[in-house]
Amino acid sequence: MEQALAADDARLQKRAELSIRVTKLADLAYDEQRGRCDWESVTRDMDMPLIECLRLFDPSLSTFSVRSLPNITDWLANDLSTLKSLVSEQFGAVTADEWPLVGIYMNVEQADCFMAHT
């Protein structure tokens, strides 16, 4: 029992360390002009898949703020193109559990991403 608890603690500690590392790299890769992070550089630096990096990202530790784009007219054409490309290439059909990851990638409220995508 103690071994299992120790293994769980070690796994949680490693995940927390990875989360901090991903979040710090995302902060460094944040592009003010685009209003979002260069996630491709984060995935290269971490040597891990994009979806895993998005899952590890902790917005509460990040230094950049999530954008609110509630109206389709608030979106730039490039952002809409990126959103549609991300969804089709990384997710296919996005489940409810994956919309937060889309929001993290786009640095936009997940509900805004959902509305812009439909």
Side-chain angles (χ1 to χ4, degrees):
M1 179 77 159
E2 285 183 33
Q3 275 184 324
L5 288 174
D8 282 346
D9 285 346
R11 189 171 41 252
L12 289 172
Q13 180 64 31
K14 181 177 181 182
R15 184 164 178 82
E17 290 169 2
L18 285 172
S19 179
I20 290 168
R21 188 164 169 229
V22 164
T23 304
K24 284 182 179 180
L25 285 171
D27 283 347
L28 292 172
Y30 182 75
D31 182 338
E32 273 301 321
Q33 287 187 320
R34 290 190 321 164
R36 57 189 162 88
C37 172
D38 177 4
W39 283 102
E40 288 67 26
S41 71
V42 175
T43 61
R44 277 192 307 276
D45 290 347
M46 290 297 295
D47 192 29
M48 104 184 4
L50 173 62
I51 301 301
E52 187 60 26
C53 287
L54 295 173
R55 284 188 177 119
L56 286 167
F57 178 75
D58 185 348
S60 70
L61 300 176
S62 177
T63 60
F64 55 87
S65 300
V66 176
R67 300 179 293 165
S68 177
L69 304 173
N71 302 311
I72 194 70
T73 55
D74 297 333
W75 288 74
L76 298 175
N78 185 43
D79 282 341
L80 283 172
S81 174
T82 299
L83 171 67
K84 292 177 188 289
S85 177
L86 169 73
V87 169
S88 69
E89 291 174 15
Q90 294 293 326
F91 297 100
V94 182
T95 66
D97 292 340
E98 294 167 332
W99 278 110
L101 302 179
V102 173
I104 288 169
Y105 183 91
M106 294 302 300
N107 191 39
V108 175
E109 298 287 341
Q110 71 183 30
D112 296 347
C113 289
F114 177 78
M115 294 303 291
H117 186 265
T118 55

